[in-house]
Amino acid sequence: QSALTQPRSVSGSPGQSVTISCTGTSSDVGGYNYVSWYQQHPGKAPKLMIYDVSKRPSGVPDRFSGSKSGNTASLTISGLQAEDEADYYCCSYAGSYTFSYVFGTGTKVTVL
Amino acid sequence: QLQLQESGSGLVKPSQTLSLTCAVSGGSISSGGYSWSWIRQPPGKGLEWIGYIYHSGSTYYNPSLKSRVTISVDRSKNQFSLKLSSVTAADTAVYYCARGSPDSSSSPFDYWGQGTLVTVSS
């Protein structure tokens, strides 16, 4: 069960859009529509931003959207704002036998 | 508002057992449909799911940690616990407890504790 692969960092100017990829295998990302995304500011606990590939919990701005194609999921932040600067982690359900989860390697989003 | 709070020893010696507790307030740990997880994050690194316990008492663990992990629940105290045996320096991390939401069969982690740092050192 290896960590899902994310780019180490992405950056964009305020108002622009950035997309973070999350690549796994057919045993995790590609096998289930159970990808979630978490935002983590320094020294803070992660916060759920997207679940089930593209669903937003109540209170999460619609600037955050998710999608999936094959073994790769993506998180897009539109209209980038200064407070979006944080680390982002994807997470996928990883097995009907093990009932386990696997996180991504994490991506640092920098607002220029 | 649901709140989770981790507590336990912040320093554990190598080969010993790490023990942490997560106190749940603002809701019942016995409510149906929820799972209760432990997740950790080594300093400067990414997140790793450790395992969870369902409201029914069923437990599921990360295959890479399964031989060393036990998660249990104390319904009378509205809390759940983590024990990780035979620890090494590689187990040094911030440990989070989290709730799995019933809004999806995948139980995404919608509420988190603030995290507690556990250092493994002699």
Side-chain angles (χ1 to χ4, degrees), chain A residues 1 34 36 38 40 43-48 51-52 89 91 93 98-105, chain B residues 39 41 45-49 52 60-63 96 103-110 112-114:
Chain A
Q1 191 179 32
Y34 290 153
S36 53
Y38 299 87
Q40 186 180 35
K44 300 295 186 181
K47 175 186 176 183
L48 178 64
Y51 69 99
D52 290 358
Y89 293 90
C91 179
Y93 183 67
T98 59
F99 296 92
S100 60
Y101 297 85
V102 59
F103 280 96
T105 51
Chain B
I39 295 158
Q41 185 172 36
K45 296 187 178 181
L47 300 165
E48 180 181 34
W49 175 76
Y52 63 84
Y60 301 94
Y61 303 130
N62 185 322
Y96 295 100
D103 292 343
S104 162
S105 299
S106 67
S107 299
F109 311 117
D110 60 349
W112 296 64
Q114 66 185 27

mmCIF file of all heavy atoms in Angstrom, chain A residues 1 34 36 38 40 43-48 51-52 89 91 93 98-105, chain B residues 39 41 45-49 52 60-63 96 103-110 112-114:
data_model
loop_
_atom_site.group_PDB
_atom_site.id
_atom_site.type_symbol
_atom_site.label_atom_id
_atom_site.label_comp_id
_atom_site.label_asym_id
_atom_site.label_seq_id
_atom_site.Cartn_x
_atom_site.Cartn_y
_atom_site.Cartn_z
ATOM 1 N N GLN A 1 0.848 -1.187 0.000
ATOM 2 C CA GLN A 1 0.000 0.000 0.000
ATOM 3 C C GLN A 1 0.886 1.240 0.000
ATOM 4 O O GLN A 1 1.301 1.729 1.062
ATOM 5 C CB GLN A 1 -0.911 -0.010 1.229
ATOM 6 C CG GLN A 1 -2.013 1.014 1.207
ATOM 7 C CD GLN A 1 -2.889 0.940 2.448
ATOM 8 O OE1 GLN A 1 -2.453 0.600 3.533
ATOM 9 N NE2 GLN A 1 -4.147 1.283 2.294
ATOM 10 N N TYR A 34 -14.046 7.170 -4.139
ATOM 11 C CA TYR A 34 -13.913 7.511 -2.724
ATOM 12 C C TYR A 34 -12.619 8.280 -2.465
ATOM 13 O O TYR A 34 -11.855 7.951 -1.567
ATOM 14 C CB TYR A 34 -13.944 6.246 -1.869
ATOM 15 C CG TYR A 34 -15.276 5.545 -1.795
ATOM 16 C CD1 TYR A 34 -15.338 4.165 -1.562
ATOM 17 C CD2 TYR A 34 -16.472 6.234 -1.969
ATOM 18 C CE1 TYR A 34 -16.562 3.513 -1.486
ATOM 19 C CE2 TYR A 34 -17.700 5.594 -1.890
ATOM 20 C CZ TYR A 34 -17.741 4.228 -1.649
ATOM 21 O OH TYR A 34 -18.951 3.591 -1.564
ATOM 22 N N SER A 36 -10.915 11.776 -1.256
ATOM 23 C CA SER A 36 -11.167 12.983 -0.488
ATOM 24 C C SER A 36 -9.914 13.857 -0.495
ATOM 25 O O SER A 36 -8.813 13.376 -0.803
ATOM 26 C CB SER A 36 -11.586 12.653 0.954
ATOM 27 O OG SER A 36 -10.659 11.788 1.565
ATOM 28 N N TYR A 38 -7.847 17.116 1.689
ATOM 29 C CA TYR A 38 -7.719 17.811 2.966
ATOM 30 C C TYR A 38 -6.757 18.982 2.820
ATOM 31 O O TYR A 38 -5.732 18.872 2.161
ATOM 32 C CB TYR A 38 -7.216 16.843 4.036
ATOM 33 C CG TYR A 38 -8.177 15.694 4.249
ATOM 34 C CD1 TYR A 38 -8.097 14.558 3.459
ATOM 35 C CD2 TYR A 38 -9.195 15.770 5.201
ATOM 36 C CE1 TYR A 38 -9.004 13.519 3.598
ATOM 37 C CE2 TYR A 38 -10.104 14.733 5.352
ATOM 38 C CZ TYR A 38 -10.004 13.619 4.543
ATOM 39 O OH TYR A 38 -10.918 12.592 4.689
ATOM 40 N N GLN A 40 -4.367 21.634 4.970
ATOM 41 C CA GLN A 40 -3.693 21.739 6.261
ATOM 42 C C GLN A 40 -2.819 22.985 6.311
ATOM 43 O O GLN A 40 -1.847 23.092 5.575
ATOM 44 C CB GLN A 40 -2.854 20.492 6.548
ATOM 45 C CG GLN A 40 -2.251 20.495 7.949
ATOM 46 C CD GLN A 40 -1.422 19.254 8.233
ATOM 47 O OE1 GLN A 40 -0.757 18.714 7.363
ATOM 48 N NE2 GLN A 40 -1.467 18.781 9.487
ATOM 49 N N GLY A 43 0.871 23.854 11.511
ATOM 50 C CA GLY A 43 0.560 23.678 12.920
ATOM 51 C C GLY A 43 -0.890 23.374 13.224
ATOM 52 O O GLY A 43 -1.273 23.324 14.399
ATOM 53 N N LYS A 44 -1.690 23.158 12.191
ATOM 54 C CA LYS A 44 -3.121 22.903 12.379
ATOM 55 C C LYS A 44 -3.493 21.497 11.916
ATOM 56 O O LYS A 44 -2.753 20.851 11.187
ATOM 57 C CB LYS A 44 -3.950 23.924 11.588
ATOM 58 C CG LYS A 44 -3.706 25.362 11.988
ATOM 59 C CD LYS A 44 -4.147 25.640 13.406
ATOM 60 C CE LYS A 44 -4.043 27.124 13.748
ATOM 61 N NZ LYS A 44 -4.452 27.401 15.148
ATOM 62 N N ALA A 45 -4.662 21.056 12.372
ATOM 63 C CA ALA A 45 -5.183 19.779 11.915
ATOM 64 C C ALA A 45 -5.719 19.918 10.493
ATOM 65 O O ALA A 45 -6.142 20.995 10.085
ATOM 66 C CB ALA A 45 -6.302 19.302 12.834
ATOM 67 N N PRO A 46 -5.687 18.856 9.733
ATOM 68 C CA PRO A 46 -6.265 18.889 8.386
ATOM 69 C C PRO A 46 -7.759 19.190 8.424
ATOM 70 O O PRO A 46 -8.434 18.930 9.418
ATOM 71 C CB PRO A 46 -6.006 17.471 7.858
ATOM 72 C CG PRO A 46 -4.835 16.974 8.639
ATOM 73 C CD PRO A 46 -5.030 17.562 10.002
ATOM 74 N N LYS A 47 -8.255 19.730 7.306
ATOM 75 C CA LYS A 47 -9.673 20.063 7.154
ATOM 76 C C LYS A 47 -10.199 19.416 5.876
ATOM 77 O O LYS A 47 -9.572 19.518 4.818
ATOM 78 C CB LYS A 47 -9.856 21.576 7.061
ATOM 79 C CG LYS A 47 -11.290 22.017 6.773
ATOM 80 C CD LYS A 47 -11.367 23.516 6.547
ATOM 81 C CE LYS A 47 -12.787 23.948 6.168
ATOM 82 N NZ LYS A 47 -12.869 25.397 5.873
ATOM 83 N N LEU A 48 -11.331 18.748 5.975
ATOM 84 C CA LEU A 48 -11.944 18.096 4.816
ATOM 85 C C LEU A 48 -12.473 19.137 3.840
ATOM 86 O O LEU A 48 -13.285 19.995 4.212
ATOM 87 C CB LEU A 48 -13.082 17.189 5.286
ATOM 88 C CG LEU A 48 -13.873 16.452 4.207
ATOM 89 C CD1 LEU A 48 -12.993 15.457 3.458
ATOM 90 C CD2 LEU A 48 -15.082 15.741 4.819
ATOM 91 N N TYR A 51 -15.000 15.292 -0.748
ATOM 92 C CA TYR A 51 -15.099 13.852 -0.517
ATOM 93 C C TYR A 51 -15.861 13.212 -1.684
ATOM 94 O O TYR A 51 -16.535 13.907 -2.455
ATOM 95 C CB TYR A 51 -15.752 13.547 0.841
ATOM 96 C CG TYR A 51 -17.227 13.897 0.940
ATOM 97 C CD1 TYR A 51 -18.203 12.927 0.776
ATOM 98 C CD2 TYR A 51 -17.630 15.200 1.221
ATOM 99 C CE1 TYR A 51 -19.548 13.240 0.875
ATOM 100 C CE2 TYR A 51 -18.967 15.526 1.317
ATOM 101 C CZ TYR A 51 -19.923 14.548 1.150
ATOM 102 O OH TYR A 51 -21.258 14.866 1.258
ATOM 103 N N ASP A 52 -15.731 11.911 -1.780
ATOM 104 C CA ASP A 52 -16.356 11.185 -2.896
ATOM 105 C C ASP A 52 -16.051 11.859 -4.244
ATOM 106 O O ASP A 52 -16.946 12.082 -5.066
ATOM 107 C CB ASP A 52 -17.874 11.090 -2.695
ATOM 108 C CG ASP A 52 -18.245 10.163 -1.560
ATOM 109 O OD1 ASP A 52 -17.325 9.566 -0.962
ATOM 110 O OD2 ASP A 52 -19.445 10.035 -1.266
ATOM 111 N N TYR A 89 -3.681 17.365 0.870
ATOM 112 C CA TYR A 89 -3.475 15.925 0.800
ATOM 113 C C TYR A 89 -4.713 15.258 0.207
ATOM 114 O O TYR A 89 -5.845 15.556 0.615
ATOM 115 C CB TYR A 89 -3.231 15.341 2.184
ATOM 116 C CG TYR A 89 -1.937 15.777 2.834
ATOM 117 C CD1 TYR A 89 -1.882 16.907 3.643
ATOM 118 C CD2 TYR A 89 -0.759 15.054 2.633
ATOM 119 C CE1 TYR A 89 -0.704 17.305 4.224
ATOM 120 C CE2 TYR A 89 0.429 15.446 3.221
ATOM 121 C CZ TYR A 89 0.447 16.574 4.010
ATOM 122 O OH TYR A 89 1.633 16.967 4.591
ATOM 123 N N CYS A 91 -6.693 11.557 -0.392
ATOM 124 C CA CYS A 91 -6.843 10.316 0.364
ATOM 125 C C CYS A 91 -7.825 9.429 -0.387
ATOM 126 O O CYS A 91 -8.839 9.908 -0.902
ATOM 127 C CB CYS A 91 -7.370 10.605 1.767
ATOM 128 S SG CYS A 91 -7.629 9.145 2.797
ATOM 129 N N TYR A 93 -9.905 5.524 -0.452
ATOM 130 C CA TYR A 93 -10.221 4.203 0.077
ATOM 131 C C TYR A 93 -9.382 3.217 -0.732
ATOM 132 O O TYR A 93 -9.202 3.387 -1.938
ATOM 133 C CB TYR A 93 -11.701 3.933 -0.104
ATOM 134 C CG TYR A 93 -12.181 2.629 0.466
ATOM 135 C CD1 TYR A 93 -12.172 2.415 1.841
ATOM 136 C CD2 TYR A 93 -12.649 1.610 -0.357
ATOM 137 C CE1 TYR A 93 -12.624 1.224 2.384
ATOM 138 C CE2 TYR A 93 -13.096 0.416 0.175
ATOM 139 C CZ TYR A 93 -13.093 0.225 1.539
ATOM 140 O OH TYR A 93 -13.533 -0.957 2.064
ATOM 141 N N THR A 98 -9.219 -5.001 2.972
ATOM 142 C CA THR A 98 -8.552 -4.430 4.139
ATOM 143 C C THR A 98 -9.298 -3.251 4.741
ATOM 144 O O THR A 98 -8.977 -2.833 5.847
ATOM 145 C CB THR A 98 -7.137 -3.949 3.769
ATOM 146 O OG1 THR A 98 -7.254 -2.967 2.725
ATOM 147 C CG2 THR A 98 -6.287 -5.099 3.266
ATOM 148 N N PHE A 99 -10.296 -2.735 4.026
ATOM 149 C CA PHE A 99 -11.050 -1.566 4.491
ATOM 150 C C PHE A 99 -10.099 -0.462 4.921
ATOM 151 O O PHE A 99 -10.280 0.139 5.986
ATOM 152 C CB PHE A 99 -11.976 -1.950 5.645
ATOM 153 C CG PHE A 99 -13.039 -2.922 5.252
ATOM 154 C CD1 PHE A 99 -12.827 -4.293 5.380
ATOM 155 C CD2 PHE A 99 -14.252 -2.481 4.758
ATOM 156 C CE1 PHE A 99 -13.807 -5.202 5.020
ATOM 157 C CE2 PHE A 99 -15.244 -3.389 4.393
ATOM 158 C CZ PHE A 99 -15.021 -4.750 4.523
ATOM 159 N N SER A 100 -9.084 -0.206 4.135
ATOM 160 C CA SER A 100 -8.043 0.739 4.536
ATOM 161 C C SER A 100 -8.063 1.989 3.679
ATOM 162 O O SER A 100 -8.794 2.074 2.689
ATOM 163 C CB SER A 100 -6.670 0.069 4.439
ATOM 164 O OG SER A 100 -6.437 -0.336 3.110
ATOM 165 N N TYR A 101 -7.280 2.959 4.093
ATOM 166 C CA TYR A 101 -7.151 4.222 3.399
ATOM 167 C C TYR A 101 -5.674 4.499 3.133
ATOM 168 O O TYR A 101 -4.812 4.073 3.898
ATOM 169 C CB TYR A 101 -7.707 5.378 4.239
ATOM 170 C CG TYR A 101 -9.191 5.279 4.522
ATOM 171 C CD1 TYR A 101 -9.661 4.541 5.601
ATOM 172 C CD2 TYR A 101 -10.115 5.924 3.701
ATOM 173 C CE1 TYR A 101 -11.018 4.450 5.862
ATOM 174 C CE2 TYR A 101 -11.475 5.832 3.955
ATOM 175 C CZ TYR A 101 -11.921 5.090 5.034
ATOM 176 O OH TYR A 101 -13.269 4.997 5.286
ATOM 177 N N VAL A 102 -5.425 5.257 2.057
ATOM 178 C CA VAL A 102 -4.061 5.685 1.776
ATOM 179 C C VAL A 102 -4.080 7.170 1.430
ATOM 180 O O VAL A 102 -4.950 7.640 0.693
ATOM 181 C CB VAL A 102 -3.425 4.852 0.640
ATOM 182 C CG1 VAL A 102 -4.224 4.958 -0.652
ATOM 183 C CG2 VAL A 102 -1.975 5.230 0.435
ATOM 184 N N PHE A 103 -3.131 7.895 2.005
ATOM 185 C CA PHE A 103 -3.019 9.327 1.739
ATOM 186 C C PHE A 103 -2.009 9.597 0.630
ATOM 187 O O PHE A 103 -1.156 8.761 0.330
ATOM 188 C CB PHE A 103 -2.554 10.059 3.004
ATOM 189 C CG PHE A 103 -3.653 10.322 3.997
ATOM 190 C CD1 PHE A 103 -3.859 9.443 5.050
ATOM 191 C CD2 PHE A 103 -4.466 11.446 3.880
ATOM 192 C CE1 PHE A 103 -4.881 9.679 5.971
ATOM 193 C CE2 PHE A 103 -5.480 11.690 4.802
ATOM 194 C CZ PHE A 103 -5.684 10.797 5.854
ATOM 195 N N GLY A 104 -2.115 10.785 0.068
ATOM 196 C CA GLY A 104 -1.138 11.240 -0.893
ATOM 197 C C GLY A 104 0.083 11.822 -0.202
ATOM 198 O O GLY A 104 0.099 12.011 1.014
ATOM 199 N N THR A 105 1.096 12.132 -0.998
ATOM 200 C CA THR A 105 2.360 12.641 -0.477
ATOM 201 C C THR A 105 2.283 14.102 -0.062
ATOM 202 O O THR A 105 3.157 14.582 0.646
ATOM 203 C CB THR A 105 3.467 12.468 -1.522
ATOM 204 O OG1 THR A 105 3.005 13.012 -2.775
ATOM 205 C CG2 THR A 105 3.817 10.993 -1.712
ATOM 206 N N ILE B 39 -4.793 8.834 12.879
ATOM 207 C CA ILE B 39 -3.976 9.220 11.737
ATOM 208 C C ILE B 39 -2.736 9.907 12.291
ATOM 209 O O ILE B 39 -2.831 10.645 13.274
ATOM 210 C CB ILE B 39 -4.764 10.176 10.814
ATOM 211 C CG1 ILE B 39 -5.967 9.447 10.194
ATOM 212 C CG2 ILE B 39 -3.873 10.760 9.709
ATOM 213 C CD1 ILE B 39 -7.071 10.357 9.719
ATOM 214 N N GLN B 41 1.305 11.915 11.571
ATOM 215 C CA GLN B 41 2.094 12.737 10.663
ATOM 216 C C GLN B 41 3.477 12.967 11.255
ATOM 217 O O GLN B 41 3.640 13.791 12.169
ATOM 218 C CB GLN B 41 1.396 14.075 10.407
ATOM 219 C CG GLN B 41 2.072 14.959 9.384
ATOM 220 C CD GLN B 41 1.229 16.177 9.030
ATOM 221 O OE1 GLN B 41 0.536 16.741 9.881
ATOM 222 N NE2 GLN B 41 1.276 16.588 7.772
ATOM 223 N N LYS B 45 6.502 15.680 7.407
ATOM 224 C CA LYS B 45 6.119 14.687 6.403
ATOM 225 C C LYS B 45 4.601 14.618 6.238
ATOM 226 O O LYS B 45 3.858 15.430 6.799
ATOM 227 C CB LYS B 45 6.688 13.321 6.790
ATOM 228 C CG LYS B 45 8.214 13.290 6.805
ATOM 229 C CD LYS B 45 8.735 11.887 7.023
ATOM 230 C CE LYS B 45 10.256 11.862 6.979
ATOM 231 N NZ LYS B 45 10.810 10.490 7.172
ATOM 232 N N GLY B 46 4.151 13.641 5.451
ATOM 233 C CA GLY B 46 2.745 13.521 5.125
ATOM 234 C C GLY B 46 1.935 12.711 6.130
ATOM 235 O O GLY B 46 2.449 12.212 7.127
ATOM 236 N N LEU B 47 0.649 12.583 5.822
ATOM 237 C CA LEU B 47 -0.283 11.888 6.697
ATOM 238 C C LEU B 47 -0.279 10.387 6.442
ATOM 239 O O LEU B 47 -0.088 9.937 5.305
ATOM 240 C CB LEU B 47 -1.702 12.428 6.462
ATOM 241 C CG LEU B 47 -1.914 13.917 6.727
ATOM 242 C CD1 LEU B 47 -3.230 14.385 6.122
ATOM 243 C CD2 LEU B 47 -1.876 14.199 8.218
ATOM 244 N N GLU B 48 -0.487 9.620 7.495
ATOM 245 C CA GLU B 48 -0.582 8.168 7.380
ATOM 246 C C GLU B 48 -1.765 7.689 8.212
ATOM 247 O O GLU B 48 -1.832 7.947 9.420
ATOM 248 C CB GLU B 48 0.706 7.491 7.853
ATOM 249 C CG GLU B 48 0.642 5.972 7.759
ATOM 250 C CD GLU B 48 1.910 5.284 8.238
ATOM 251 O OE1 GLU B 48 2.551 5.808 9.189
ATOM 252 O OE2 GLU B 48 2.274 4.237 7.690
ATOM 253 N N TRP B 49 -2.688 6.978 7.574
ATOM 254 C CA TRP B 49 -3.829 6.417 8.278
ATOM 255 C C TRP B 49 -3.369 5.204 9.076
ATOM 256 O O TRP B 49 -2.669 4.333 8.551
ATOM 257 C CB TRP B 49 -4.905 6.030 7.272
ATOM 258 C CG TRP B 49 -6.080 5.330 7.868
ATOM 259 C CD1 TRP B 49 -7.096 5.890 8.595
ATOM 260 C CD2 TRP B 49 -6.368 3.938 7.789
ATOM 261 N NE1 TRP B 49 -7.986 4.912 8.972
ATOM 262 C CE2 TRP B 49 -7.580 3.706 8.491
ATOM 263 C CE3 TRP B 49 -5.737 2.843 7.199
ATOM 264 C CZ2 TRP B 49 -8.147 2.446 8.613
ATOM 265 C CZ3 TRP B 49 -6.306 1.589 7.310
ATOM 266 C CH2 TRP B 49 -7.510 1.404 8.018
ATOM 267 N N TYR B 52 -9.091 2.355 12.265
ATOM 268 C CA TYR B 52 -10.318 2.912 12.819
ATOM 269 C C TYR B 52 -11.170 1.838 13.483
ATOM 270 O O TYR B 52 -10.966 0.637 13.263
ATOM 271 C CB TYR B 52 -11.135 3.668 11.764
ATOM 272 C CG TYR B 52 -11.663 2.872 10.588
ATOM 273 C CD1 TYR B 52 -12.851 2.159 10.672
ATOM 274 C CD2 TYR B 52 -10.985 2.879 9.379
ATOM 275 C CE1 TYR B 52 -13.343 1.458 9.587
ATOM 276 C CE2 TYR B 52 -11.464 2.181 8.281
ATOM 277 C CZ TYR B 52 -12.640 1.477 8.388
ATOM 278 O OH TYR B 52 -13.134 0.781 7.306
ATOM 279 N N TYR B 60 -10.361 -1.922 11.895
ATOM 280 C CA TYR B 60 -9.622 -2.113 10.650
ATOM 281 C C TYR B 60 -8.330 -1.319 10.754
ATOM 282 O O TYR B 60 -8.340 -0.165 11.187
ATOM 283 C CB TYR B 60 -10.457 -1.650 9.457
ATOM 284 C CG TYR B 60 -11.762 -2.394 9.347
ATOM 285 C CD1 TYR B 60 -12.916 -1.876 9.912
ATOM 286 C CD2 TYR B 60 -11.825 -3.631 8.710
ATOM 287 C CE1 TYR B 60 -14.116 -2.564 9.854
ATOM 288 C CE2 TYR B 60 -13.016 -4.321 8.638
ATOM 289 C CZ TYR B 60 -14.163 -3.784 9.220
ATOM 290 O OH TYR B 60 -15.339 -4.478 9.153
ATOM 291 N N TYR B 61 -7.227 -1.952 10.349
ATOM 292 C CA TYR B 61 -5.924 -1.339 10.537
ATOM 293 C C TYR B 61 -5.149 -1.240 9.231
ATOM 294 O O TYR B 61 -5.336 -2.038 8.314
ATOM 295 C CB TYR B 61 -5.110 -2.155 11.545
ATOM 296 C CG TYR B 61 -5.764 -2.322 12.902
ATOM 297 C CD1 TYR B 61 -5.881 -3.574 13.493
ATOM 298 C CD2 TYR B 61 -6.271 -1.222 13.597
ATOM 299 C CE1 TYR B 61 -6.467 -3.734 14.736
ATOM 300 C CE2 TYR B 61 -6.867 -1.370 14.835
ATOM 301 C CZ TYR B 61 -6.966 -2.630 15.402
ATOM 302 O OH TYR B 61 -7.557 -2.782 16.636
ATOM 303 N N ASN B 62 -4.231 -0.278 9.189
ATOM 304 C CA ASN B 62 -3.282 -0.170 8.087
ATOM 305 C C ASN B 62 -2.481 -1.473 8.049
ATOM 306 O O ASN B 62 -1.881 -1.862 9.052
ATOM 307 C CB ASN B 62 -2.366 1.026 8.330
ATOM 308 C CG ASN B 62 -1.428 1.300 7.170
ATOM 309 O OD1 ASN B 62 -0.912 0.393 6.529
ATOM 310 N ND2 ASN B 62 -1.179 2.582 6.920
ATOM 311 N N PRO B 63 -2.456 -2.134 6.888
ATOM 312 C CA PRO B 63 -1.744 -3.424 6.822
ATOM 313 C C PRO B 63 -0.289 -3.327 7.270
ATOM 314 O O PRO B 63 0.244 -4.283 7.833
ATOM 315 C CB PRO B 63 -1.849 -3.787 5.333
ATOM 316 C CG PRO B 63 -3.108 -3.141 4.876
ATOM 317 C CD PRO B 63 -3.158 -1.832 5.630
ATOM 318 N N TYR B 96 -3.203 12.236 15.319
ATOM 319 C CA TYR B 96 -4.536 12.841 15.282
ATOM 320 C C TYR B 96 -5.609 11.770 15.451
ATOM 321 O O TYR B 96 -5.477 10.676 14.908
ATOM 322 C CB TYR B 96 -4.796 13.516 13.938
ATOM 323 C CG TYR B 96 -3.929 14.704 13.614
ATOM 324 C CD1 TYR B 96 -2.835 14.587 12.778
ATOM 325 C CD2 TYR B 96 -4.252 15.976 14.102
ATOM 326 C CE1 TYR B 96 -2.058 15.689 12.440
ATOM 327 C CE2 TYR B 96 -3.478 17.081 13.778
ATOM 328 C CZ TYR B 96 -2.390 16.928 12.947
ATOM 329 O OH TYR B 96 -1.626 18.026 12.619
ATOM 330 N N ASP B 103 -21.860 10.574 5.941
ATOM 331 C CA ASP B 103 -22.447 11.119 4.717
ATOM 332 C C ASP B 103 -22.042 10.343 3.476
ATOM 333 O O ASP B 103 -22.584 10.562 2.395
ATOM 334 C CB ASP B 103 -22.045 12.592 4.543
ATOM 335 C CG ASP B 103 -22.669 13.485 5.597
ATOM 336 O OD1 ASP B 103 -23.648 13.044 6.237
ATOM 337 O OD2 ASP B 103 -22.173 14.603 5.789
ATOM 338 N N SER B 104 -21.054 9.475 3.646
ATOM 339 C CA SER B 104 -20.594 8.672 2.519
ATOM 340 C C SER B 104 -20.150 7.305 3.019
ATOM 341 O O SER B 104 -19.677 7.192 4.140
ATOM 342 C CB SER B 104 -19.407 9.366 1.837
ATOM 343 O OG SER B 104 -18.695 8.454 1.024
ATOM 344 N N SER B 105 -20.297 6.329 2.152
ATOM 345 C CA SER B 105 -19.825 4.988 2.507
ATOM 346 C C SER B 105 -18.322 4.967 2.741
ATOM 347 O O SER B 105 -17.804 4.068 3.385
ATOM 348 C CB SER B 105 -20.180 4.007 1.393
ATOM 349 O OG SER B 105 -21.572 3.940 1.205
ATOM 350 N N SER B 106 -17.637 5.986 2.216
ATOM 351 C CA SER B 106 -16.188 6.043 2.386
ATOM 352 C C SER B 106 -15.766 6.670 3.702
ATOM 353 O O SER B 106 -14.581 6.701 4.020
ATOM 354 C CB SER B 106 -15.561 6.835 1.240
ATOM 355 O OG SER B 106 -15.944 8.210 1.325
ATOM 356 N N SER B 107 -16.730 7.194 4.474
ATOM 357 C CA SER B 107 -16.432 7.761 5.793
ATOM 358 C C SER B 107 -15.274 8.752 5.776
ATOM 359 O O SER B 107 -14.268 8.563 6.482
ATOM 360 C CB SER B 107 -16.131 6.640 6.788
ATOM 361 O OG SER B 107 -17.235 5.774 6.934
ATOM 362 N N PRO B 108 -15.380 9.824 5.001
ATOM 363 C CA PRO B 108 -14.302 10.823 5.007
ATOM 364 C C PRO B 108 -14.156 11.431 6.398
ATOM 365 O O PRO B 108 -15.110 11.518 7.165
ATOM 366 C CB PRO B 108 -14.780 11.858 3.987
ATOM 367 C CG PRO B 108 -16.272 11.714 3.968
ATOM 368 C CD PRO B 108 -16.520 10.246 4.170
ATOM 369 N N PHE B 109 -12.945 11.895 6.705
ATOM 370 C CA PHE B 109 -12.633 12.383 8.044
ATOM 371 C C PHE B 109 -13.080 13.833 8.192
ATOM 372 O O PHE B 109 -12.397 14.748 7.725
ATOM 373 C CB PHE B 109 -11.134 12.225 8.298
ATOM 374 C CG PHE B 109 -10.622 10.859 7.943
ATOM 375 C CD1 PHE B 109 -9.679 10.689 6.944
ATOM 376 C CD2 PHE B 109 -11.083 9.728 8.603
ATOM 377 C CE1 PHE B 109 -9.207 9.426 6.605
ATOM 378 C CE2 PHE B 109 -10.630 8.456 8.269
ATOM 379 C CZ PHE B 109 -9.683 8.311 7.269
ATOM 380 N N ASP B 110 -14.231 14.050 8.842
ATOM 381 C CA ASP B 110 -14.810 15.395 8.855
ATOM 382 C C ASP B 110 -14.535 16.180 10.135
ATOM 383 O O ASP B 110 -14.645 17.412 10.130
ATOM 384 C CB ASP B 110 -16.317 15.339 8.559
ATOM 385 C CG ASP B 110 -17.103 14.519 9.573
ATOM 386 O OD1 ASP B 110 -16.485 13.806 10.398
ATOM 387 O OD2 ASP B 110 -18.349 14.586 9.528
ATOM 388 N N TRP B 112 -11.571 16.526 13.314
ATOM 389 C CA TRP B 112 -10.240 16.124 13.746
ATOM 390 C C TRP B 112 -9.925 16.723 15.118
ATOM 391 O O TRP B 112 -10.385 17.816 15.450
ATOM 392 C CB TRP B 112 -9.179 16.634 12.762
ATOM 393 C CG TRP B 112 -9.243 16.075 11.389
ATOM 394 C CD1 TRP B 112 -10.255 16.226 10.470
ATOM 395 C CD2 TRP B 112 -8.236 15.296 10.748
ATOM 396 N NE1 TRP B 112 -9.937 15.580 9.298
ATOM 397 C CE2 TRP B 112 -8.701 15.006 9.445
ATOM 398 C CE3 TRP B 112 -6.980 14.810 11.128
ATOM 399 C CZ2 TRP B 112 -7.947 14.239 8.530
ATOM 400 C CZ3 TRP B 112 -6.236 14.066 10.224
ATOM 401 C CH2 TRP B 112 -6.718 13.783 8.943
ATOM 402 N N GLY B 113 -9.110 16.000 15.887
ATOM 403 C CA GLY B 113 -8.541 16.590 17.076
ATOM 404 C C GLY B 113 -7.414 17.529 16.684
ATOM 405 O O GLY B 113 -7.042 17.617 15.509
ATOM 406 N N GLN B 114 -6.878 18.236 17.651
ATOM 407 C CA GLN B 114 -5.791 19.183 17.373
ATOM 408 C C GLN B 114 -4.455 18.486 17.146
ATOM 409 O O GLN B 114 -3.520 19.094 16.614
ATOM 410 C CB GLN B 114 -5.659 20.180 18.519
ATOM 411 C CG GLN B 114 -5.218 19.544 19.827
ATOM 412 C CD GLN B 114 -5.218 20.537 20.989
ATOM 413 O OE1 GLN B 114 -5.962 21.511 20.987
ATOM 414 N NE2 GLN B 114 -4.410 20.272 21.994
#
